[in-house]
């Protein structure tokens, strides 16, 4: 029996989430790793987050991942993403206020 593949979701809400995640990880890498370009670890986290967003079972109706009942991230990636959000959350208000407001309303 073959496993059915899910079609990736690339709707406008998912694209906005990807933009926010991209900015957060970029800011995290600049502040923590002092790099202008994403390091290998941050690039890996971004690629994984984009994959999980594309395959989210809730699609365009998804809420913020922190409020979700289904934890689709592997525990190590989930821990890394929490660290990124914890460190960049306050900075996002300064560097990307529009994304911050959009993210707050998505909760």
């Amino acid at each position: 029996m073959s496993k059915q593949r899910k079609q990736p979701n690339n709707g406008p809400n998912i694209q906005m989430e990807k933009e926010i995640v991209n900015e957060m990880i970029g800011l995290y890498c600049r502040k923590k790793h002092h790099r202008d370009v994403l390091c290998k670890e941050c690039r890996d986290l971004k690629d994984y987050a984009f994959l999980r967003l594309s395959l989210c079972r809730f699609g365009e109706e998804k809420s913020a991942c922190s409020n979700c009942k289904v934890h689709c991230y592997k525990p190590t990636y989930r821990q890394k993403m929490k660290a990124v959000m914890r460190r960049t959350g306050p900075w996002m208000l300064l560097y990307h206020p529009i994304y911050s407001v959009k993210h707050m309303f998505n909760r």
Side-chain angles (χ1 to χ4, degrees):
M1 203 192 258
S2 67
K3 198 175 185 181
Q4 278 189 330
R5 288 193 158 245
K6 275 181 108 175
Q7 290 297 320
N9 179 2
N10 291 316
N13 290 341
I14 296 296
Q15 289 303 321
M16 185 185 72
E17 287 282 326
K18 286 180 180 181
E19 289 175 23
I20 292 170
V21 166
N22 186 47
E23 293 298 330
M24 289 182 95
I25 292 174
L27 185 58
Y28 176 81
C29 198
R30 281 194 303 276
K31 295 289 184 188
K32 174 132 172 114
H33 302 138
H34 307 290
R35 307 268 313 248
D36 290 332
V37 179
L38 290 181
C39 65
K40 185 181 183 317
E41 179 184 347
C42 292
R43 196 171 42 248
D44 179 51
L45 178 60
K46 183 186 95 168
D47 292 343
Y48 184 78
F50 277 25
L51 175 69
R52 299 316 308 165
L53 282 168
S54 292
L55 300 176
C56 179
R57 70 170 55 179
F58 300 107
E60 289 297 295
E61 284 77 45
K62 79 178 277 325
S63 64
C65 293
S66 59
N67 296 334
C68 189
K69 304 290 185 235
V70 179
H71 300 299
C72 61
Y73 278 45
K74 291 179 182 176
T76 55
Y77 285 105
R78 190 164 179 231
Q79 191 174 30
K80 288 178 185 179
M81 188 56 78
K82 276 186 173 181
V84 166
M85 291 189 178
R86 197 174 303 120
R87 184 170 184 121
T88 61
W91 288 105
M92 285 295 285
L93 281 169
L94 180 64
Y95 286 96
H96 303 287
I98 293 173
Y99 283 142
S100 299
V101 171
K102 285 181 180 180
H103 186 66
M104 284 182 210
F105 282 120
N106 192 23
R107 295 179 142 202

